[in-house]
Amino acid sequence: MKGTPLSVQLMTPPNMFGPVPYHHVSISTGARHVHVAGQIARDAEGNPVAPGDLAGQLACALRNTARGLAGAGASFADVVRLRFFVTNWTPDKYPEFLDGINQVAEELALPDPLPPLSAIGVDYLFEPDVLVEVEAYAVLD
C-alpha cells in the first residue's frame, strides 16, 4: 500500500533560516509509520561501494534507502524526516555531499526541496570505510 501525496505535507514557514535544500517542517497523517534503518554504501552481497568517495557512497546509501522504503510500499514522497550521519564532517564537504544527493535526485524522485533533514557529523560509522549513513522515516495512510 503506497502513501498518497496528501499523507505528507512539506513546508517552510515564513522567516525561517534559508536558503537550504530542504523544508523545515513536515506534517503527516497516517496509520502506518515506516522507519528505514541506517543505510550505507553496500551492495546486496554486503560489498563496499565507492570506497573513499562521499558523493558516491551517499548516492548508494540513498538508493538502498529507496529499496527499504519500496519494500514497505513507500517512496521518498512519503518521507517526513531524513537523517544523514557523515564521518569527520567539515563544511568544505558540503559540495560533495550535495553532489551525492544530486546524482540520484531524478532517479529516486527525491522531493525538491527535500523533507526536513539533519546532517550529523560523527567520528566513525559501521565500518572504517563507511563515510555516510542515511535513515528515513515515512508515514503512510
Side-chain angles (χ1 to χ4, degrees):
M1 177 185 314
K2 184 164 171 59
T4 64
L6 298 177
S7 64
V8 177
Q9 178 189 357
L10 302 175
M11 64 178 287
T12 295
N15 300 319
M16 291 196 76
F17 164 70
V20 292
Y22 57 88
H23 285 285
H24 283 278
V25 177
S26 64
I27 303 164
S28 59
T29 58
R32 293 188 333 132
H33 295 232
V34 178
H35 298 263
V36 179
Q39 297 300 301
I40 59 173
R42 293 287 191 267
D43 65 18
E45 289 76 40
N47 299 309
V49 175
D53 176 10
L54 176 60
Q57 285 197 21
L58 183 51
C60 179
L62 284 166
R63 285 183 183 107
N64 289 339
T65 302
R67 287 182 192 100
L69 289 166
S75 72
F76 277 101
D78 304 303
V79 170
V80 297
R81 181 137 184 64
L82 290 168
R83 279 191 193 87
F84 299 89
F85 299 93
V86 186
T87 59
N88 302 309
W89 176 259
T90 55
D92 63 312
K93 293 182 180 181
Y94 187 67
E96 190 177 3
F97 180 85
L98 285 181
D99 183 45
I101 294 170
N102 290 333
Q103 284 180 26
V104 295
E106 187 175 325
E107 170 191 340
L108 302 178
L110 296 178
D112 182 20
L114 292 166
L117 63 85
S118 297
I120 302 162
V122 296
D123 290 335
Y124 58 89
L125 288 164
F126 180 66
E127 290 183 350
D129 65 292
V130 177
L131 302 178
V132 64
E133 185 171 319
V134 180
E135 290 181 350
Y137 171 44
V139 175
L140 303 174
D141 282 332

